[in-house]
Amino acid sequence: DLDVIYDAEITASLESFERALLNVGSVGQPRDEDPRAAYGVYDSKTGEIRIRRAAYDVESCQAKIRAAGLPSVLADRLSLGV
């Protein structure tokens, strides 16, 4: 079952699936209270997907949002991961 919350790095086998559609997340708009970027690495030889997280410069992104005149809530939420 791949329907999980990211609280650690995850490796899961996809071998039993004929098809799989994965949305591992993105930089900047997480919804799981983890502000880090999410990405996946698929190994076609083993049939495994590895979900990883990586820190990025949240403060710089927040400054750019504010400088563009966008609502502060959009910048604030980045550091909260919501």
Side-chain angles (χ1 to χ4, degrees), residues 12-61:
S13 175
L14 299 178
E15 288 183 323
S16 63
F17 296 94
E18 183 176 325
R19 293 183 196 183
L21 176 64
L22 303 166
N23 179 353
V24 299
S26 65
V27 174
Q29 294 296 315
R31 300 290 191 267
D32 61 1
E33 299 179 352
D34 186 337
R36 297 175 299 161
Y39 65 97
V41 177
Y42 177 67
D43 184 331
S44 61
K45 291 182 182 178
T46 65
E48 290 183 337
I49 180 80
R50 288 183 293 282
I51 309 299
R52 302 290 184 248
R53 297 309 274 259
Y56 70 102
D57 189 352
V58 173
E59 293 81 16
S60 174
C61 291

Side-chain angles (χ1 to χ4, degrees), residues 29 61-78:
Q29 294 296 315
C61 291
Q62 289 173 318
K64 290 176 183 179
I65 289 170
R66 290 185 179 105
L70 296 170
S72 289
V73 68
L74 298 176
D76 297 340
R77 69 183 293 178
L78 295 182

